[in-house]
Amino acid sequence: MPVIIYATRGATLALQNRLSLEIRTKGRMGMDGAAWPQVRGDLSSTRWGAAAFLNNLEAACTTISRTEWVIRWINIGDAHRLLGDTNIEKGYFDEAAEDWLCALTAFEVARRLAYEDASEIEDVPAKINAVIQKFGAVKQNIERVQIECCDQVEIAAHYLPADGRISSAPAIICISTEEETATTLLGRLLPVVIDRGMSVLVVAHEDVSNSRRGQSDVFLSCCVDYLLTRSDIDAAHIGVYGDGLSATLATDFAASDSRVAAAVCDGGLWNLARMLASVDWLARTADVRDEDMVSARRLQLLRRLRCPVLVVAGGRGIVSASEAMKLLRDGPAAPIDLQLAIPRMITTDAGEVENFVTSDDRIFGWLEHQLVLSSLSNHC
C-alpha cells in the first residue's frame, strides 16, 4: 500500500536558548582576531538542532531577525569548520570529518534562511567548497569526474564512493535544482548520505537539462554508463533523485531507462500540468475539465515508470500536495510501488522555508531501503 510520509513537528522554545548559548563567543581569540563561537555536539545532535530550529522558525524570528539568524548559523558553521581544522592538527581525523559535516549542515541552514538575498551568504559557497575538499582529503575521497556523452559533450560531476562495507554498492544519481550547482547540492547531501552504504554521483541541472526533448535522458543514461564502468558499483541497484524542477528530469529518465531501480521524482505531474494547460489553451475550456480524462492521463504517465517511486510534493517543489494526493489515489491501478513525501514547510514574513533536514533524511532513508537493503540481501 502507498504510504504518505509527513515531516515531523515538535520543536521547542528551549532550542532557541540552546542555539543562543552555542554561538556566544569564548574568551579565546582566533588567529584572525575574531572570537570563536562555542561549539557543542556531534553530527546527529547538530542535525537534530537544525531540524528543530527550522520547525520553530516562525517563533524564532519574532525575537531575532531572519538576517541575524543567517549570521548566527554562518558563525556556527565557521566554528565547526575551525574545530575540524584543529582536530586535524591533533590527528583526530574522524572527529574532524564529523565537525566538517556539522559545518555543512549549518551553512545549508544559513542558505535556506537567506532566500533570494545572495549578499547575506556571498562567501558561503566558497566555504562549502573548501569544507568538501577537506572532508574528501581526510575521510572519503570525493572525485571530480568528467562523463562523456554524445556529440563529444562532457558533464562534470562529483562522485562520492560508498564507505566500503561491501565490494559493490548501490549508487544514486543526484540532480540539483535549477538554481544550484552540483557542489552546493553535494554539500547539503554529504551529511545525510554518509555511512548509508550508497555511492553518490552529483550533477547540475543546467548541465543535464536541454531544450531538445529527450536530451536529458541521453545525458543521464551516460551517467549510468559511467557508473557501470566502476567495479565498486552494484549495477542492479542504481537510483535517481531529482531536486526541484529536476524531479521531472528524473521521471523522464526513470521511464526511459530500465536500469533505474528507484526514483525520487514528480511522477509525471509536471508533464501532465503542461499538457492540460496546452489543451485548455487550445480548447478555451479552462473552466470545464473532464476529471475522468485527467485521471486516465495521470495514470498513463505513471505507468511509464517501472521502478519504485517516491514523489516529493508541496512547499517550494514543483508538485502541489493536492495533485500528489490525486496521483496517490490513482496509484494502485499502476503496477509500481508509489509513495509520497510532503516536507515540513515553515511560513515566515519573508516566505516559506523547507525543513530540508527531515526531508533529506526521509528521502535518503527511502532510497537506502529500496536499494541498499535489497543489494545486501542479494549479496548474502
Side-chain angles (χ1 to χ4, degrees):
M1 295 292 293
V3 177
I4 304 176
I5 306 174
Y6 292 94
T8 58
R9 299 174 182 265
T12 62
L13 192 58
L15 176 65
Q16 291 186 58
N17 298 329
R18 177 182 175 186
L19 287 175
S20 296
L21 286 173
E22 287 182 353
I23 61 176
R24 288 178 184 170
T25 57
K26 294 182 178 180
R28 181 163 55 93
M29 305 293 287
M31 292 183 64
D32 58 357
W36 283 25
Q38 187 173 350
V39 179
R40 302 174 184 170
D42 55 12
L43 179 60
S44 62
S45 63
T46 296
R47 289 185 67 79
W48 178 91
F53 167 77
L54 291 171
N55 278 346
N56 202 40
L57 181 60
E58 187 175 3
C61 289
T62 60
T63 55
I64 298 176
S65 71
R66 179 184 57 81
T67 299
E68 178 62 23
W69 279 121
V70 171
I71 295 172
R72 292 188 177 205
W73 277 101
I74 292 176
N75 287 342
I76 292 173
D78 284 337
H80 279 295
R81 177 173 57 88
L82 294 173
L83 185 59
D85 295 346
T86 299
N87 277 325
I88 280 295
E89 294 175 358
K90 296 178 180 179
Y92 302 149
F93 300 107
D94 289 341
E95 290 81 355
E98 190 160 23
D99 290 329
W100 290 328
L101 293 176
C102 292
L104 291 174
T105 297
F107 289 145
E108 183 62 24
V109 174
R111 287 186 64 253
R112 297 289 169 136
L113 295 179
Y115 298 110
E116 305 300 329
D117 190 353
S119 63
E120 295 179 345
I121 54 167
E122 57 186 7
D123 60 339
V124 169
K127 292 181 179 183
I128 290 173
N129 186 49
V131 170
I132 289 173
Q133 292 184 19
K134 291 177 181 179
F135 179 88
V138 170
K139 184 67 174 178
Q140 285 178 232
N141 183 40
I142 300 174
E143 302 175 30
R144 185 68 169 168
V145 299
Q146 296 290 327
I147 300 172
E148 296 182 0
C149 294
C150 57
D151 300 328
Q152 297 182 332
V153 176
E154 288 190 341
I155 296 176
H158 296 287
Y159 178 74
L160 172 72
D163 53 19
R165 286 181 291 176
I166 56 178
S167 57
S168 58
I172 312 296
I173 301 171
C174 300
I175 317 165
S176 75
T177 69
E178 62 278 16
E179 303 164 349
E180 295 178 340
T181 66
T183 302
T184 299
L185 178 60
L186 177 61
R188 189 188 101 210
L189 296 185
L190 261 179
V192 72
V193 301
I194 204 70
D195 296 332
R196 286 191 184 270
M198 299 184 292
S199 297
V200 174
L201 183 71
V202 183
V203 296
H205 174 92
E206 67 175 2
D207 290 336
V208 175
S209 62
N210 192 285
S211 59
R212 289 177 292 172
R213 183 172 177 81
Q215 193 68 36
S216 64
D217 299 347
V218 174
F219 287 165
L220 291 171
S221 290
C222 291
C223 291
V224 176
D225 293 340
Y226 165 76
L227 290 172
L228 295 183
T229 65
R230 303 187 63 104
S231 61
D232 58 344
I233 294 299
D234 182 347
H237 295 88
I238 295 175
V240 61
Y241 162 55
D243 197 13
L245 189 57
S246 294
T248 188
L249 302 181
T251 297
D252 292 342
F253 175 50
S256 66
D257 198 317
S258 60
R259 296 174 296 181
V260 178
V264 181
C265 60
D266 77 333
L269 290 178
W270 178 257
N271 287 334
L272 176 65
R274 291 196 302 175
M275 180 190 68
L276 293 177
S278 298
V279 171
D280 291 343
W281 183 82
L282 291 171
R284 301 294 195 272
T285 57
D287 295 333
V288 180
R289 181 173 288 171
D290 186 338
E291 289 301 324
D292 289 337
M293 181 274 292
V294 174
S295 179
R297 291 286 190 180
R298 188 183 297 115
L299 187 57
Q300 181 182 23
L301 291 170
L302 191 59
R303 281 175 171 162
R304 296 170 57 225
L305 299 166
R306 290 160 288 180
C307 64
V309 168
L310 176 66
V311 174
V312 182
R316 301 177 70 185
I318 63 171
V319 178
S320 70
S322 61
E323 286 301 309
M325 292 299 294
K326 294 175 184 177
L327 183 71
L328 192 66
R329 180 198 63 197
D330 294 340
I336 65 169
D337 175 2
L338 172 65
Q339 298 187 31
L340 172 62
I342 303 179
R344 168 91 162 103
M345 300 298 299
I346 303 89
T347 302
T348 70
D349 57 356
E352 286 189 320
V353 179
E354 177 188 337
N355 190 330
F356 72 93
V357 180
T358 55
S359 179
D360 287 347
D361 283 342
R362 291 184 179 275
I363 289 171
F364 283 88
W366 180 84
L367 285 166
E368 183 179 14
H369 176 78
Q370 295 293 336
L371 300 175
V372 178
L373 296 182
S374 176
S375 178
L376 289 173
S377 65
N378 289 347
H379 283 82
C380 292

